[in-house]
Amino acid sequence: MDYITEPCSRLELRNIACVFRKMFNLSCDEIVPVVELLDLFCDRLGNVSYDIVDDEELPKNVPAATELNCDGTFTIKIKNSVYEGAYYRQIGGYRNHIMHEMCHVVLYKLGYVPAFQRSFENKKIQRAFSAEWQAMALCGEIMMPYEATKNMTADEIADKYKVSLLSAQTRLKY
């Protein structure tokens, strides 16, 4: 499911990623310790918490989800298998799923608030206006900093930053 939001360019997301890394004292040469960062992220951004939930609590194709609660707080729900795969085995795709949900919170707090229009199969949302694309792109920019990776191969990026090969290949397109 996707929602329309204020437009945001790849360059703007790249700049937000730089601020995010500075906020959490992460150099462009180190991997983002996603699981370890969750508690600090919740503390620094305020009104954010996370829950590790039984896999059955979320739909089969949803590894993690962010909820905006009635009181204005956010809860990031992460399937137990995803959390454990990210924490114990450093699985790149699972690490990306968690960071992607954190990116939804960051973007919302920066004013990229989703409208209540949904995208349907026959009516696609342009990338710059897509809440899902923005979170996905910001996640990639945080996990694989452009300046540090622009001369690397996909295999080198995946190995160094502990992301999936697909994410690394996608990074090379931008």
Side-chain angles (χ1 to χ4, degrees):
M1 185 176 345
D2 200 355
Y3 295 92
I4 294 172
T5 189
E6 293 295 318
C8 191
S9 70
R10 171 73 64 173
L11 182 57
E12 289 168 315
L13 293 168
R14 195 165 284 159
N15 289 333
I16 293 168
C18 288
V19 171
F20 183 96
R21 277 186 165 268
K22 285 180 185 173
M23 183 176 168
F24 293 102
N25 298 316
L26 300 168
S27 76
C28 288
D29 290 326
E30 66 184 299
I31 68 166
V32 177
V34 176
V35 174
E36 294 84 352
L37 192 63
L38 268 170
D39 289 317
L40 185 58
F41 176 83
C42 292
D43 288 344
R44 289 243 174 108
L45 269 69
N47 296 326
V48 182
S49 63
Y50 68 92
D51 288 329
I52 310 306
V53 300
D54 290 335
D55 285 11
E56 298 76 32
E57 190 171 324
L58 293 173
K60 186 175 182 175
N61 63 338
V62 177
T66 301
E67 294 180 355
L68 175 58
N69 304 309
C70 294
D71 62 358
T73 62
F74 294 89
T75 303
I76 299 172
K77 291 187 174 188
I78 306 165
K79 283 184 176 178
N80 186 58
S81 62
V82 171
Y83 182 85
E84 288 187 359
Y87 185 75
Y88 294 113
R89 298 190 346 222
Q90 293 290 305
I91 296 172
Y94 290 174
R95 290 168 28 78
N96 284 0
H97 289 309
I98 295 169
M99 178 55 71
H100 175 92
E101 296 308 323
M102 294 165 69
C103 289
H104 276 301
V105 175
V106 168
L107 289 164
Y108 189 97
K109 286 186 172 265
L110 289 174
Y112 297 95
V113 179
F116 288 107
Q117 276 184 292
R118 293 184 183 160
S119 166
F120 296 97
E121 206 169 298
N122 60 352
K123 184 182 175 190
K124 298 289 181 185
I125 299 172
Q126 290 179 322
R127 289 186 337 176
F129 293 88
S130 163
E132 284 303 317
W133 177 83
Q134 289 176 2
M136 178 188 64
L138 179 57
C139 174
E141 294 293 340
I142 291 170
M143 300 287 282
M144 304 166 281
Y146 175 77
E147 289 300 323
T149 60
K150 64 183 176 182
N151 295 318
M152 297 172 75
T153 67
D155 287 329
E156 290 169 333
I157 294 169
D159 184 55
K160 180 172 183 167
Y161 292 98
K162 304 296 183 229
V163 297
S164 68
L165 185 57
L166 180 60
S167 291
Q169 290 167 339
T170 301
R171 160 54 202 95
L172 290 177
K173 295 178 184 178
Y174 303 100

